[in-house]
């Protein structure tokens, strides 16, 4: 993807220039910093360590992390794989930032931890033993499983891990399974288990909250928060959250306008039949760009501040919008916004059968990323 590159777009000039031929994603780095400040304000005094895994959920780990480091003051970051960590270290141009790798170390990846100065998140007794044997005294985080039953060291293994010689655990973390529902009883259960289990590692900082936990109140904040989606403009909850500002905007130009007579059909499988004289706009975005096929018939886009619905199937390179009812007629070259400042990511994702997480992360490499 082009995510590692920054450009110097002219703000507002979105229908101009070479990117206007296909889809693109505008990324508002000021709004990214605003979301960081909002989360910091929700957890006063608790540092934020942005999760920039998976290219910062598709927005570009380099530009996102550089911005959060230089403009917002972030000094700790989370990725999953050491390869992501090494790319981030190079992009950050800051030797002092701490880069944690959720996946932990393996024999083959130890050299990357060395050269890129990465900090592992240990997920098992085996990883703890490997790290302590090969890097005695070197800082590491430990991921406790408090009920997610996905990754992390089971509570039953903690006494053995705590007894490993040469191990230096400076951060103990766990992950909430049900942060999308703040009132879910599992959140309180996990918190209680976390506090008890962490006693095996006295002196280490504690971290339980991602975006959801950050917005769930003080008792979830502990010593470090690991936000991802809320920084990038998505709600971590089962509902939208107006405190979170849009960061990314998915846009594409209209290529052609069709005038259909009643009875004519649109696209593959003739899935849509016009029941009235219908204007169809063909837009340069499709599932090849990560726009979900499930958006057919339900997804919408904003053109001239009005909504138009996707009709017919989503194809690899195109979607077709019913623009019949637009007050200002849509024309080739006009821009359709699939989410962004005029259509909330939460709503657009839901209409396409997605969450903000998988909608953002699924946007492919073909759409240009422009940093504003
Ligand atoms: C991805 C991830 C995060 C960030 O989660 P958001 O819900 O996007 O804020 C935090 N912690 C862990 C362990 C993760 O895997």
């Amino acid at each position: 993807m082009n995510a590692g590159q920054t450009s110097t777009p002219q703000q507002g000039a979105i229908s101009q220039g070479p990117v206007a031929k296909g889809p693109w994603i505008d990324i508002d780095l000021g709004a990214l910093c605003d979301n960081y400040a909002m989360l910091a304000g929700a957890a006063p005094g608790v540092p934020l360590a942005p999760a920039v895994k998976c290219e910062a959920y598709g927005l570009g780990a380099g530009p996102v992390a550089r911005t959060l480091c230089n403009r917002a003051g972030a000094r700790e970051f989370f990725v999953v794989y050491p390869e992501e960590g090494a790319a981030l270290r190079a992009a950050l141009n800051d030797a002092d930032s701490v880069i944690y790798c959720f996946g932990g170390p393996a024999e083959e990846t130890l050299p990357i931890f060395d050269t890129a100065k990465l900090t592992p998140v240990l997920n098992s007794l085996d990883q703890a033993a490997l790290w302590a044997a090969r890097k005695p005294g070197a800082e590491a985080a430990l991921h406790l499983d408090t009920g997610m039953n996905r990754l992390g060291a089971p509570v039953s293994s903690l006494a053995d891990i705590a007894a490993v010689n040469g191990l230096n655990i400076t951060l103990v973390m766990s992950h909430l399974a049900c942060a999308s529902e703040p009132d879910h009883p599992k959140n309180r259960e996990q918190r209680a288990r976390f506090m008890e289990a962490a006693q095996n590692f006295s002196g280490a900082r504690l971290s339980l909250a991602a975006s959801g936990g950050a917005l769930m109140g003080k008792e979830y904040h502990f010593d470090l928060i690991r936000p991802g989606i809320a920084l990038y403009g998505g709600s971590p909850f089962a509902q939208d959250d107006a405190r979170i500002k849009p960061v990314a905007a998915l846009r594409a130009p209209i290529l052609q306008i069709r005038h259909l007579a009643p009875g004519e059909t649109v696209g593959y499988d003739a899935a849509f039949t016009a029941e009235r004289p219908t204007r169809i706009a063909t837009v340069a975005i499709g599932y090849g760009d990560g726009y979900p096929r499930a958006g057919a018939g339900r997804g919408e886009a904003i053109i001239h501040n009005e909504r138009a619905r996707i009709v017919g199937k989503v194809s690899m390179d195109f979607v077709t919008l019913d623009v019949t009812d637009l007050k200002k007629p849509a024309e080739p070259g006009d821009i359709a916004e699939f989410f962004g400042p005029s259509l909330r990511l939460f709503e657009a994702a839901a209409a396409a059968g997605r969450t903000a997480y998988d909608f953002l992360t699924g946007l492919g490499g073909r759409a240009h990323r422009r940093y504003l």
Side-chain angles (χ1 to χ4, degrees), residues 52-314:
V52 295
K53 57 189 176 180
C54 212
E55 288 293 346
Y57 298 24
L59 301 188
V64 163
R66 268 199 304 274
T67 301
L68 292 174
C69 180
N70 297 337
R71 287 165 58 181
R75 289 293 174 271
E76 298 175 83
F77 298 91
F78 283 93
V79 293
V80 175
Y81 298 106
E83 291 81 359
E84 292 181 280
L88 181 61
R89 176 66 72 200
L92 269 179
N93 196 21
D94 171 28
D96 296 330
S97 283
V98 179
I99 300 175
Y100 296 97
C101 299
F102 281 132
E107 186 67 49
E108 318 81 270
T109 60
L110 281 171
I112 311 178
F113 281 87
D114 265 338
T115 51
K117 225 175 128 254
L118 307 177
T119 306
V121 177
L122 307 172
N123 295 290
S124 65
L125 177 58
D126 284 353
Q127 286 191 336
L130 173 71
W131 185 254
R134 303 294 297 278
K135 306 272 295 171
E139 293 192 0
L142 178 67
H143 183 172
L144 309 182
D145 183 358
T146 53
M148 182 85 160
N149 289 316
R150 188 181 62 173
L151 193 66
V155 169
S156 60
S157 68
L158 297 185
D160 289 340
I161 291 176
V164 170
N165 250 333
L167 193 61
N168 179 16
I169 300 294
T170 52
L171 175 71
V172 173
M173 56 157 280
S174 191
H175 197 46
L176 294 171
C178 300
S180 64
E181 293 176 58
D183 293 329
H184 198 292
K186 186 142 187 129
N187 293 319
R188 288 190 300 282
E189 275 169 38
Q190 283 192 270
R191 178 177 178 274
R193 264 200 226 180
F194 179 61
M195 287 174 65
E196 192 189 330
Q199 287 173 5
N200 286 281
F201 304 91
S202 60
R205 291 193 300 162
L206 305 184
S207 175
L208 182 58
S211 298
L215 296 169
M216 274 161 52
K218 203 167 159 346
E219 54 285 20
Y220 290 93
H221 293 161
F222 295 96
D223 306 313
L224 186 73
I225 292 170
R226 314 181 304 268
I229 195 71
L231 293 171
Y232 310 133
S235 169
F237 301 123
Q239 303 82 31
D240 202 358
D241 187 325
R243 289 173 289 185
I244 298 163
K245 280 196 183 176
V247 170
L250 178 62
R251 295 174 170 138
I254 295 174
L255 301 174
Q256 294 189 334
I257 300 286
R258 285 275 180 296
H259 298 263
L260 303 193
E264 289 195 277
T265 67
V266 175
Y268 284 122
D269 305 331
F272 173 80
T273 304
E275 287 170 0
R276 56 175 182 166
T278 301
R279 283 167 62 89
I280 296 291
T282 303
V283 183
I285 187 171
Y287 64 77
D289 306 297
Y291 192 89
R293 293 186 78 238
R298 298 179 59 216
E300 293 179 314
I302 306 293
I303 302 165
H304 308 144
N305 294 316
E306 290 185 86
R307 283 175 184 244
R309 184 171 298 251
I310 296 176
V311 294
K313 299 247 159 136
V314 172

Side-chain angles (χ1 to χ4, degrees), residues 28-38 67-68 71-72 231 247:
D28 181 342
L29 296 173
L32 173 74
C33 292
D34 291 344
N35 286 334
Y36 185 98
M38 184 278 290
T67 301
L68 292 174
R71 287 165 58 181
L231 293 171
V247 170

